[in-house]
């Protein structure tokens, strides 16, 4: 338990060392959306439970399904509530797996927990009892931090029908990090039909860009026309500044706060919504979803360079520093620190953990 507490404290200190970004030259409110309300359901308890967020007012008969995978210790959906609200009121059903029970869940359990929750949620949706049914052929994954890693892993698992996942039309990993290393599932199993978007932050000192580059490079079955790597860059020329630190893809919405999370107050306090969200992460995800669900590629999306790279203007007319978007990692500068802050010394623990796991299997 002492080791766990040290991990939590280190994580909190790392997060506290970065500043949240602010709005830059745009309205703080969302434009009118097709659906006026988000219906919310919590199903199950413990690390295999999940939330369903469904469009309402009006309630559609069916809708595309997006799995949203939170970061480490970010089990409270309010931390990503603004993005969830954006997706749902635009007509998507969002599955939000808990996959961990705060400090009580080991990292090796994240993937099987998430897989179980997604399959159960799909069963609930397909049953249709008071729920919006999934729209056939429209299933995608979005993840941040540890959730970004899980999004890529679930996309790889989807290649095997025995895992019970529908075809993944798009997998998006924002600032992905790996809490504990795993060689399986191999990312070369991500189906070639998947649209793959991997994004990292220039000032992400928590995870760096190492895992993002591994996901992108190892997804060898996905052709270059169907994948993009994005490096979001900070811009401090205006006030408040836009800083591409690790928590940048979060966006708080207190309406979805369930009171959970050991770092709840800190994470909610850092979740301001700004141009990086609306014109960056959300718009890139929206464009990828639209392309994936209509049979297009990311080459088609990138044909208009502003879609993935234009973040708007400061109030004095200066353009916000655009991200670097590429289909080739050689064209993208490295993030420093490349591996981020190693909260867990996993190079040391990997062998011990492997021995422990092997001993457990022998028993």
């Amino acid at each position: 338990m002492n080791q766990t507490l040290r991990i939590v404290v280190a994580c909190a200190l790392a997060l506290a060392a970065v500043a949240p970004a602010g709005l830059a030259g745009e309205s703080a409110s969302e434009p009118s959306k097709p659906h006026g309300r988000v219906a919310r359901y919590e199903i199950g308890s413990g690390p295999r439970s999940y939330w369903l967020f469904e469009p309402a007012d009006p309630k559609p008969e069916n809708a595309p399904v997006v799995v949203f995978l939170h970061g480490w210790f970010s089990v409270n959906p309010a931390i990503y509530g603004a993005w969830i609200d954006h997706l749902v009121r635009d007509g998507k059903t969002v599955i939000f797996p808990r996959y961990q029970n705060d400090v009580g869940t080991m990292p090796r359990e994240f993937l099987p927990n998430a897989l179980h929750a997604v399959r159960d949620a799909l069963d609930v949706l397909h049953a249709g009892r008071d729920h919006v049914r999934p729209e056939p052929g429209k299933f995608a994954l979005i993840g941040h931090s540890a959730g970004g890693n899980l999004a890529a892993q679930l996309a790889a698992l989807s290649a095997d029908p025995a895992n019970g996942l529908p075809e993944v039309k798009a997998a998006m990993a924002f600032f992905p990090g790996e809490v504990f290393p795993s060689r399986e599932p191999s990312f070369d199993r991500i189906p070639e039909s998947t649209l793959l978007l991997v994004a990292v932050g220039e000032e992400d000192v928590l995870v760096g860009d190492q895992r993002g580059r591994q996901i992108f490079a190892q997804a060898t079955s996905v052709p270059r026309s169907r994948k993009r790597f994005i490096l979001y860059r900070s811009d401090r020329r205006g006030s408040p500044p836009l800083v591409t630190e690790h928590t940048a893809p979060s966006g708080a919405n207190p309406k979805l706060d369930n009171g959970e999370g050991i770092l709840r107050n800190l994470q909610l306090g850092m979740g301001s919504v700004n141009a990086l969200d609306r014109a960056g992460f959300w718009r890139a995800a929206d464009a990828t979803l639209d392309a994936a669900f209509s049979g297009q590629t990311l080459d088609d999306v990138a044909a208009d360079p502003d879609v993935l790279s234009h973040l708007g203007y400061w109030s004095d007319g200066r353009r916000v520093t655009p991200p670097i978007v590429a289909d080739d990692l050689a064209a993208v500068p490295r993030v420093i620190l490349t591996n981020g802050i190693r909260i867990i010394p996993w190079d040391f623990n990997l062998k011990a953990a492997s021995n422990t796991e092997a001993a457990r299997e022998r028993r």
Side-chain angles (χ1 to χ4, degrees):
M1 186 62 184
N2 288 339
Q3 176 65 15
T4 299
L5 289 174
R6 285 197 295 270
I7 291 169
V8 172
V9 171
C11 183
L13 290 174
L15 289 172
V18 292
L23 292 168
E26 60 175 34
S27 171
S29 61
E30 278 264 71
S32 178
K33 290 284 191 176
H35 301 274
R37 186 172 63 86
V38 175
R40 170 186 173 181
Y41 308 89
E42 183 177 1
I43 299 178
S45 61
R48 292 198 166 186
S49 64
Y50 56 91
W51 287 265
L52 290 175
F53 300 98
E54 303 175 35
D57 295 344
K59 175 184 176 181
E61 290 186 10
N62 51 52
V65 175
V66 176
V67 178
F68 199 108
L69 296 142
H70 63 77
W72 197 29
F73 294 140
S74 300
V75 297
N76 191 328
I79 296 166
Y80 302 96
W83 198 347
I84 292 171
D85 183 87
H86 168 83
L87 289 166
V88 176
R89 292 200 302 115
D90 202 35
K92 281 90 172 173
T93 292
V94 169
I95 301 171
F96 189 92
R98 179 185 268 114
Y99 82 74
Q100 69 177 142
N101 206 15
D102 289 341
V103 298
T105 309
M106 297 300 293
R108 65 173 177 272
E109 299 171 353
F110 291 177
L111 181 58
N113 287 348
L115 178 62
H116 180 277
V118 172
R119 291 188 302 202
D120 192 79
L122 289 171
D123 287 343
V124 169
L125 292 171
H126 279 294
R129 299 186 185 92
D130 299 322
H131 293 286
V132 178
R133 292 181 182 271
E135 189 169 347
K138 295 186 177 182
F139 177 76
L141 306 163
I142 297 175
H144 168 240
S145 189
N149 187 59
L150 286 173
Q153 290 179 319
L154 287 171
L157 289 181
S158 73
D160 184 352
N163 288 318
L165 292 175
E167 178 185 5
V168 175
K169 293 293 186 178
M172 289 164 272
F174 289 86
F175 299 24
E178 193 177 28
V179 177
F180 200 82
S182 173
R183 295 183 179 89
E184 292 294 335
S186 175
F187 295 132
D188 62 6
R189 292 165 55 190
I190 297 177
E192 63 179 350
S193 60
T194 306
L195 297 192
L196 177 64
L197 188 75
V198 180
V200 299
E202 180 182 51
E203 296 191 43
D204 188 346
V205 299
L206 200 59
V207 302
D209 66 353
Q210 184 71 17
R211 192 54 172 170
R213 284 176 170 265
Q214 289 174 346
I215 293 170
F216 192 87
Q218 294 171 16
T220 53
S221 295
V222 182
R224 289 172 65 164
S225 64
R226 305 184 72 83
K227 62 182 181 179
R228 285 297 185 277
F229 191 90
I230 303 179
L231 171 64
Y232 285 99
R233 298 183 289 177
S234 299
D235 191 334
R236 292 178 168 81
R237 294 176 297 173
S239 180
L242 296 172
V243 184
T244 55
E245 42 81 20
H246 188 65
T247 68
S250 65
N253 180 355
K255 293 181 180 179
L256 300 186
D257 185 8
N258 66 353
E260 292 187 0
I262 59 175
L263 300 174
R264 169 179 166 271
N265 290 335
L266 175 66
Q267 291 169 322
L268 292 178
M270 299 180 73
S272 58
V273 177
N274 54 55
L276 284 173
D277 297 293
R278 299 192 191 284
F281 315 132
W282 300 2
R283 185 162 70 175
D286 290 347
T288 301
L289 292 172
D290 290 345
F293 295 159
S294 63
Q296 294 182 305
T297 68
L298 286 177
D299 274 357
D300 296 320
V301 174
D304 180 353
D306 283 353
V307 173
L308 297 178
S309 63
H310 184 49
L311 302 184
Y313 299 92
W314 294 103
S315 57
D316 62 2
R318 294 180 298 174
R319 184 175 180 176
V320 175
T321 301
I324 296 173
V325 183
D327 61 3
D328 181 1
L329 290 176
V332 183
R334 294 304 305 264
V335 171
I336 305 299
L337 306 161
T338 57
N339 288 297
I341 299 171
R342 295 194 173 191
I343 296 175
I344 299 177
W346 52 62
D347 285 343
F348 173 79
N349 286 338
L350 180 58
K351 183 176 180 180
S354 299
N355 292 339
T356 301
E357 191 68 26
R360 182 180 293 108
E361 291 175 357
R362 286 195 297 272
R363 289 196 297 270

